[in-house]
Amino acid sequence: MLANGSSTSSSTRTQENDVLQALSQIIDPDFGTDIVSCGFVKDLHIDQTSGEVSFRLELTTPACPIKDMFEQKANEVVAALLWVKNVNVTMSAQPARPVYAGQLPAGLQTISNIIAVSSCKGGVGKSTVAVNLAYTLAGMGARVGIFDADVYGPSLPTMVSPENRLLEMNPEKRTIIPTEYMGVKLVSFGFAGQGRAIMRGPMVSGVIDQLLTTTEWGELDYLVIDMPPGTGDIHLTLCQVLQLFALLLFILRLAHDYNSNFSPVVPLTAAVIVTTPQKLSFIDVAKGVRMFSKLKVPCVAVVENMSYFDADGKRHYPFGKGSGSQVVQQFGIPNLFDLPIRPTLSAAGDSGMPEVVSDPLGEVSQIFQNLGVCVVQQCAKIRQQVSTAVTYDRANKAIRVKVPDSDEEFFLHPATVRRNDRSAQSVDEWTGEQKLQYSDILEDIEPEEIRPMGNYAVSITWPDGFSQKNMDVLHDQRPPMLFRFSYQPVIAPYDQLQTMERLVGVIPLPAPAWT
């Protein structure tokens, strides 16, 4: 009986390996890795009696544009195995969660991706793009919310028609309950019963902070933020509220004209830039792109609104050509989408029903569908590259650093990394005196966990409970970190930058110097 059981177990393992090897033929085009290595294959079960193979493909977003292709190919490659009689594939999604979710305001703890839609100039159709993008993502199967960040002139109450047009408060939790329209959660100052605000910048920043961080957003795959025009206090407030503590300190140095006590919360995942063909629009948009560059937010797409119209069998460009393509060329943003001049697009916004909802098969809806696919793919790619950039190789007992979108990698000795910590626990911030001694760290120390922090850094947890943050501290005057993400202007997805965001260098450490 024992021999027979052992034989059955061995046979099952062989068949599982056959299935996994077959599935490894399917390559995720965004990650450039097979779906087995990506960890998508879950709950693999083989019934040897019936020859049925069942498993689940768990993707990173329910809005994955190629989920049907994955399902079809998984069925095909497994069914091709000679011993397989039937294949049962189920699809699911487990969106990535923010790092340090427990430290975030309750409403933001379960938001996977935050997308800023910005133009830095009024009247170019930014709100139209934000709303239609949000409803496109919802149509792709994602859970979506929209945050209208324009307190002076909120657009969301005009562009959507929720049955309940007032935000409600939860008296016990003292939180805001968003309103909802066609499955998308909505928050705007225009739904607060106040209309348009007349107040100074610091007050507006406080309103923005409260509306965003105290709202019960619930489980969201994407929160689309409709940014107000400009690059001033409100933009910095939003990005500060949505960045980690080290970056927050740097931005506050830049915006020292008002005081703020923001908490370290989930970072922006990416930004979409909206412009029009005119040169003046390009000048203002360029300022916004540079702002996102300083804030370490990758810009993944440019939308050129009011680009053209078709008449008499010809395509006409009444405002000229080139603003959108100029942004793409000058800043290396890889994806450009041209929106036509269409009366229906404007009318849909005024009627309270987005164009992608009222005419889902139209030309404009197809353009937004392509934009939605781009946003989903780029967000997934950014998270995947960051999460695999720094790992611990237990076989070699070394920290492996992989340059994104490259075969280049190098190794760091864990003890050296730990000894070179430059936080206040290791170095006196006032005197610069070294508090952590060389001999305090064992040569065979191993990290317990390595986790990404936003888009730009990693946190390493050590056996003594110490959590070491390694990041680009930008203009901080303290000694540089042992290794860090060295950012050239980050204005596009990592794989498209000419100057690639890299993890560089090891600071030489003479052993006797600290003893």
Side-chain angles (χ1 to χ4, degrees), residues 301 449 484:
E449 185 179 24
R484 62 185 182 180

PDB file of all heavy atoms in Angstrom, residues 301 449 484:
ATOM      1  N   ALA A 301       0.887  58.532 -20.146  1.00  0.00           N
ATOM      2  CA  ALA A 301       0.203  58.818 -21.407  1.00  0.00           C
ATOM      3  C   ALA A 301      -0.076  60.309 -21.529  1.00  0.00           C
ATOM      4  O   ALA A 301      -0.192  61.025 -20.525  1.00  0.00           O
ATOM      5  CB  ALA A 301      -1.102  58.031 -21.512  1.00  0.00           C
ATOM      6  N   GLU A 449      12.607  40.457   5.527  1.00  0.00           N
ATOM      7  CA  GLU A 449      11.649  40.838   4.494  1.00  0.00           C
ATOM      8  C   GLU A 449      12.157  42.043   3.726  1.00  0.00           C
ATOM      9  O   GLU A 449      12.790  42.939   4.290  1.00  0.00           O
ATOM     10  CB  GLU A 449      10.288  41.171   5.121  1.00  0.00           C
ATOM     11  CG  GLU A 449       9.202  41.468   4.104  1.00  0.00           C
ATOM     12  CD  GLU A 449       7.860  41.772   4.767  1.00  0.00           C
ATOM     13  OE1 GLU A 449       7.874  42.199   5.943  1.00  0.00           O
ATOM     14  OE2 GLU A 449       6.819  41.594   4.122  1.00  0.00           O
ATOM     15  N   ARG A 484      20.390  53.108  -3.866  1.00  0.00           N
ATOM     16  CA  ARG A 484      19.173  53.884  -3.972  1.00  0.00           C
ATOM     17  C   ARG A 484      18.706  53.929  -5.418  1.00  0.00           C
ATOM     18  O   ARG A 484      19.459  53.659  -6.344  1.00  0.00           O
ATOM     19  CB  ARG A 484      19.394  55.305  -3.476  1.00  0.00           C
ATOM     20  CG  ARG A 484      20.436  56.074  -4.295  1.00  0.00           C
ATOM     21  CD  ARG A 484      20.708  57.455  -3.692  1.00  0.00           C
ATOM     22  NE  ARG A 484      21.649  58.190  -4.509  1.00  0.00           N
ATOM     23  CZ  ARG A 484      22.071  59.406  -4.244  1.00  0.00           C
ATOM     24  NH1 ARG A 484      21.636  60.016  -3.172  1.00  0.00           N
ATOM     25  NH2 ARG A 484      22.907  60.008  -5.036  1.00  0.00           N
TER      26      ARG A 484
END
